[in-house]
Amino acid sequence: SSGSSVTGSGVGPERLLWFLVLHQPGPLDPPAADASAGAAAAAAAQVEEEFEGFVLKVANSRSAANIPGPLPRYGTSAGLPYMITAVPAKQVVGICKARLQKGFEPLDVLSEMGEGIGPALRQLQKIQMESATTGSDPEQLDPRNDLKLSSFEHMRMFNDRAKLLSERAALPAHICPGTPAQAALVRSEMLLEKRLEELSHELSDASLQQMPEFHQRVGVLQQLGYVSPDGTVTLKGRAACEINSTQDELLSTELLFRGLLSSLSPEEAVALMSALVFQEKSDVKPELPEGLADAASRLTALACELADLQAAAGLPVSQEDYLREVLHPGLMQVVYEWARGTPFSAITPLTDVMEGSIVRAVVRLDQCCRELMDAARVMGDTSLFSLMEAASGKIRRDIVFAASLYVA
């Protein structure tokens, strides 16, 4: 902020800079981040389950932990108020020539303990006081001599920007003592107007545009027995809630309740489910044993039946588009052979799919097997539970589920 001395460290994928600001919080500052924001950030940083066990090693584990936590964060250290915040790099106006003396690491400032905040603030205060005696901001790095900016066009744009900033600083609003309070009132008014607009939309007919489709989908679920006529979720609906990792939960649940897996071996069952889990396309037609090929045909017929049922209810669904979206049988032969114990090097020539995609599909397939076990538990079907438990055991082996690819 204007008139504040700052020091920054850390650039992430989103091009953010972390700043320690010698600053007294005011009404225009954003509220401090709460613990829930930190929990959300920690949850977002978790590695996806399909890559569980793979560890990214870095040369300096201390710098890898250089995460400031929920921002902005306010506090007082050494009797000086401060703020730690994240700012997009494109909002940085300039870089001053003054440097802080060494003696602490950026992590000492950014961490929650903040052991280096006090020494850093005292040095920032010294720089601020030296600038106050001259009546100007600290001297900035010269774009041509210090930053080696050689483009004439960039220099022209830099000078134009500096001129505009100088003119803005001379505006009466920048020296008026009542500006922060007035700006806070304007900000509050804008927030209230935005909330009023949101509430008005919720009460208008525009918010009900999706209501007809909602009733159509509920009608399909009632016709298939997932929801009772009075709107209560049935046993079939509760079983469907356990399935989340396939392309279409409706088709997956119908597959269970119509017994398409009951006559299959664990190897065939997991291969059939791969058509609902695999997300890519393959130009290689799989060569399947007779029993698995028959099950695949019945699954395709079931998908066509569900597409026709949804289309009859008024939903924009066609057989061709539905099949193309929910069924990808490209890895059925690969998964079948893998479940039978075939080495990984022997199954890769069976398809044009990359090895990494095969690994991801098999890991997702194992997750699907666990979800079907939960659905079988809801259904009370012990044979289906045992079948999917055995199917999961068939594919959980070797390099696909290795903790590390760097093994002796």
Side-chain angles (χ1 to χ4, degrees):
S1 59
S2 178
S4 299
S5 301
V6 299
T7 182
S9 174
V11 179
E14 298 182 359
R15 305 295 297 174
L16 291 178
L17 299 178
W18 297 327
F19 284 87
L20 170 65
V21 187
L22 180 59
H23 174 69
Q24 179 66 49
L28 296 183
D29 292 313
D34 54 18
S36 61
Q46 290 182 352
V47 180
E48 292 184 20
E49 184 177 2
E50 61 194 67
F51 298 108
E52 184 178 2
F54 292 85
V55 179
L56 176 64
K57 296 183 178 180
V58 295
N60 188 348
S61 59
R62 180 175 172 82
S63 62
N66 191 4
I67 300 175
L71 296 179
R73 186 165 77 243
Y74 302 94
T76 303
S77 181
L80 299 172
Y82 70 88
M83 172 178 66
I84 298 180
T85 186
V87 178
K90 63 181 180 181
Q91 294 185 9
V92 175
V93 176
I95 305 174
C96 67
K97 291 185 176 182
R99 293 185 178 182
L100 299 185
Q101 298 177 1
K102 295 184 178 179
F104 55 86
E105 297 293 332
L107 181 60
D108 297 331
V109 176
L110 295 171
S111 64
E112 293 186 4
M113 298 298 295
E115 298 176 356
I117 291 181
L121 288 175
R122 284 191 290 268
Q123 295 187 47
L124 290 176
Q125 185 186 39
K126 180 180 178 181
I127 296 173
Q128 190 179 55
M129 293 175 64
E130 292 174 351
S131 300
T133 59
T134 62
S136 62
D137 291 334
E139 184 180 1
Q140 297 185 14
L141 296 176
D142 184 80
R144 181 182 296 275
N145 299 326
D146 299 318
L147 302 180
K148 308 302 180 184
L149 192 63
S150 58
S151 171
F152 176 80
E153 181 64 19
H154 288 166
M155 282 298 303
R156 184 189 64 78
M157 295 170 61
F158 183 88
N159 292 333
D160 290 344
R161 185 178 188 225
K163 181 181 178 180
L164 291 174
L165 290 174
S166 177
E167 294 176 353
R168 187 185 69 174
L171 295 175
H174 281 261
I175 58 176
C176 176
T179 296
Q182 295 169 5
L185 290 175
V186 172
R187 180 183 180 187
S188 299
E189 184 179 353
M190 293 175 61
L191 293 175
L192 290 174
E193 289 178 350
K194 182 179 179 180
R195 180 56 178 161
L196 178 61
E197 183 180 350
E198 293 174 352
L199 294 175
S200 298
H201 173 75
E202 293 178 3
L203 295 174
S204 66
D205 294 337
S207 63
L208 303 178
Q209 291 179 353
Q210 303 299 325
M211 189 60 69
E213 182 178 345
F214 169 76
H215 287 299
Q216 291 169 348
R217 294 189 181 277
V218 171
V220 172
L221 295 177
Q222 289 178 338
Q223 189 172 350
L224 292 173
Y226 292 86
V227 180
S228 64
D230 61 355
T232 304
V233 178
T234 64
L235 173 66
K236 194 175 184 180
R238 293 199 299 272
C241 292
E242 301 294 334
I243 305 174
N244 301 290
S245 59
T246 63
Q247 300 286 351
D248 188 89
E249 293 78 8
L250 188 65
L251 178 58
S252 303
T253 308
E254 288 299 313
L255 177 146
L256 297 182
F257 277 83
R258 301 199 186 192
L260 267 67
L261 298 178
S262 59
S263 61
L264 302 179
S265 65
E267 295 86 352
E268 293 172 336
V270 74
L272 182 65
M273 290 306 303
S274 70
L276 294 171
V277 173
F278 183 49
Q279 298 178 340
E280 301 177 22
K281 295 181 180 180
S282 173
D283 295 329
V284 178
K285 184 177 181 180
E287 298 180 4
L288 306 176
E290 183 178 355
L292 182 55
D294 179 65
S297 299
R298 286 186 289 158
L299 178 60
T300 302
L302 176 59
C304 293
E305 178 184 340
L306 293 179
D308 292 340
L309 181 63
Q310 295 178 70
L315 294 170
V317 178
S318 66
Q319 278 194 16
E320 182 179 353
D321 293 340
Y322 187 71
L323 291 176
R324 184 169 56 248
E325 180 180 351
V326 303
L327 288 182
H328 298 148
L331 285 186
M332 289 183 64
Q333 182 182 6
V334 170
V335 173
Y336 177 71
E337 293 295 337
W338 177 254
R340 295 181 61 195
T342 305
F344 192 81
S345 59
I347 65 173
T348 52
L350 300 178
T351 181
D352 56 353
V353 178
M354 299 295 292
E355 290 86 346
S357 298
I358 296 176
V359 171
R360 286 192 294 271
V362 174
V363 172
R364 289 194 181 100
L365 191 55
D366 179 63
Q367 172 65 25
C368 176
C369 289
R370 295 199 295 270
E371 292 175 357
L372 295 185
M373 290 167 60
D374 293 336
R377 188 180 292 110
V378 173
M379 297 164 58
D381 192 335
T382 56
S383 60
L384 176 60
F385 183 93
S386 301
L387 175 65
M388 301 318 301
E389 185 178 32
S392 176
K394 293 289 185 179
I395 60 175
R396 287 187 62 87
R397 65 177 182 87
D398 208 353
I399 191 174
V400 174
F401 289 89
S404 174
L405 296 180
Y406 300 96
V407 293

